[in-house]
Amino acid sequence: MRKKFVFILVVLIMIFSYLTIASATKALRSTSDRPANLPFVSDSIRLVLITQELDTPFWNKVGQGALKQAQKENVQLEVWGSYGNNQDDFLKTMEVAIHSKVDGIIVQGLDNEEFKELTKVKAAFYGIPVITVANDVPVEESLRKTYVGSDQFEAGEMVARQLIKEMGTTGGVIILGDQEQAYYQKERLAGIEDVLSKYPDIEMIIRGTADAKEQVMATTQQLMNEVPRASAFIAINANYAGPMIQEIGRRTQVEPYYIYTFDDGVGSTALLEQGMLDGILAQKPEEMGSESVKRLMQWISGETVPLDSNGYLTETRMVKAEGEEP
């Protein structure tokens, strides 16, 4: 009886050993047969576009372009952000996107330490690629993958050249921006200065202001008192064009002045159509949106790694008050 029991036990052990070896062999074979790179499934990709200026004409167009391209790429894209340049809400939204572990972020660049900390440390920790759109930040300070938008230095040059063409090479030019200029404003200003500094009879008066409408108007009033012979105004923050023109019109006729800005401000196009602006620097916001999704997907799919850190530039052109290009 004992011998019979031992015999049965040995047989069972041999059967279990065979089954174990067979299962392991099958697992190893299926692993080795698996392709080195798993197929890229685009419909599982989730992207987010984040802006500080939701529901403005310029950023609506950026969003429209991004959504159209996302549909072509068969990926999910959501547009998040804040209203009225609320930086705290904007940064919180950015942090939520990172902790949600989205696959990629397209974002309006914000040139401050909190934003750079989010892109350089937190997004990098989760392996989330970040692309800036329309407003850039320095790559070495943010580790963003690339930038899609206008060459802001060249845009400033174009505005200055058009001003010279209309005004001539003599006069005072008031340039209005933020008290703490964002990177895109610094680039615009540098381009303007590069052109106007070549003319010794042009005086540039550069001033920063807080972003409240009343403060922009008060700063404009102060400048007009300080520089009564000013011939021209340039709003490098396009959102300041409206309050600036309102204050000029309250004191005197707007028509004698040469006034220029950019098309990314609320109401810039309407002011141009009303003849309150002599020209705006027109950009391609819808193209910015579509191109940013395209480039981000090239990174995620591994098609283009690395992306060009200098950025992918979209077209800019000057549009005059008469509706014609100069």
Side-chain angles (χ1 to χ4, degrees), residues 190-220:
I192 293 167
E193 289 182 298
D194 187 61
V195 173
L196 297 187
S197 62
K198 296 179 173 65
Y199 302 94
D201 293 328
I202 289 181
E203 179 188 6
M204 285 182 283
I205 303 92
I206 303 164
R207 190 66 55 87
T209 180
D211 60 3
K213 177 181 176 181
E214 295 76 14
Q215 189 59 51
V216 176
M217 293 177 71
T219 303
T220 304

Side-chain angles (χ1 to χ4, degrees), residues 137-151:
V137 290
V139 60
E140 63 277 3
E141 297 175 19
S142 65
L143 298 186
R144 52 97 171 133
K145 300 305 179 189
T146 193
Y147 160 70
V148 177
S150 305
D151 182 331

Side-chain angles (χ1 to χ4, degrees), residues 209-240:
T209 180
D211 60 3
K213 177 181 176 181
E214 295 76 14
Q215 189 59 51
V216 176
M217 293 177 71
T219 303
T220 304
Q221 181 186 63
Q222 183 181 356
L223 286 164
M224 292 182 76
N225 290 336
E226 292 177 10
V227 194
R229 294 184 180 178
S231 307
F233 291 82
I234 300 174
I236 56 173
N237 182 334
N239 289 322
Y240 295 171

Side-chain angles (χ1 to χ4, degrees), residues 51-114:
T51 169
Q52 297 184 75
E53 301 173 58
L54 279 175
D55 203 23
T56 62
F58 182 89
W59 285 99
N60 282 347
K61 289 179 182 177
V62 174
Q64 288 163 11
L67 288 166
K68 286 179 184 176
Q69 186 64 31
Q71 193 171 26
K72 289 180 184 177
E73 301 275 358
N74 194 30
V75 297
Q76 300 177 54
L77 182 130
E78 299 169 37
V79 180
W80 295 2
S82 57
Y83 295 90
N85 285 313
N86 188 315
Q87 289 191 9
D88 290 339
D89 285 352
F90 172 73
L91 291 166
K92 286 175 186 174
T93 302
M94 181 89 174
E95 192 155 15
V96 168
I98 292 169
H99 288 297
S100 299
K101 298 180 182 178
V102 297
D103 296 288
I105 295 174
I106 301 163
V107 63
Q108 177 182 359
L110 179 61
D111 192 17
N112 67 21
E113 291 307 314
E114 292 87 350

